[in-house]
Amino acid sequence: GQTSHFIVRRSTNRGQSFTTVDDFQYVQGQDSFGLSLQADSFGVLYAFGEGKDAGGISHLIVRRSDNGGDSWTVTDDYAGPDGSGAAGRGLARGPLGDLFAAGFYFDKQKTQHGLVRKLSCQ
């Protein structure tokens, strides 16, 4: 079957056309998807989403581009404190320029816990 990809598209002509600048799958054959895109006060881009590993465990993923979207790296990968899975729900910039990723994780008993992760921007 088909799987979802976590993609970022960019327009250089005010939205008349777009090109894909990032096409990410956490693990080939497993679903990944993007939820949000933010820039910090330095112009660094952050793409926020989720990806499933080979075992089907969901990871909260933040990807970073320091060069306007030309290249991307994973800057945060979180699957909960015991690796049972995590899901993202939002990304926001704080008043001091730091980024906060919000979502939830599951413990080994499958209990859901809210979480907020701080990404220091420097």
Side-chain angles (χ1 to χ4, degrees), residues 9-108:
R9 294 182 49 86
R10 173 177 58 199
S11 175
T12 58
N13 58 8
R14 297 183 181 192
Q16 293 180 15
S17 63
F18 287 83
T19 57
T20 299
V21 294
D22 189 30
D23 184 344
F24 175 76
Q25 258 188 315
Y26 189 75
V27 171
Q28 187 174 347
Q30 294 283 358
D31 288 323
S32 297
F33 57 93
L35 296 165
S36 181
L37 186 67
Q38 286 277 340
D40 68 16
S41 56
F42 304 103
V44 176
L45 297 172
Y46 296 87
F48 173 69
E50 296 176 28
K52 289 187 179 179
D53 64 23
I57 303 296
S58 183
H59 293 239
L60 184 151
I61 303 292
V62 179
R63 293 183 52 77
R64 174 185 172 127
S65 175
D66 295 315
N67 55 15
D70 289 334
S71 62
W72 294 82
T73 58
V74 172
T75 189
D76 193 36
D77 176 347
Y78 186 73
D82 60 10
S84 295
R89 289 297 175 258
L91 185 68
R93 203 166 123 192
L96 300 178
D98 292 320
L99 290 173
F100 295 86
F104 59 90
Y105 70 89
F106 297 100
D107 62 24
K108 295 255 185 223

Side-chain angles (χ1 to χ4, degrees), residues 1-13:
Q2 294 183 339
T3 55
S4 300
H5 290 230
F6 181 151
I7 66 168
V8 177
R9 294 182 49 86
R10 173 177 58 199
S11 175
T12 58
N13 58 8

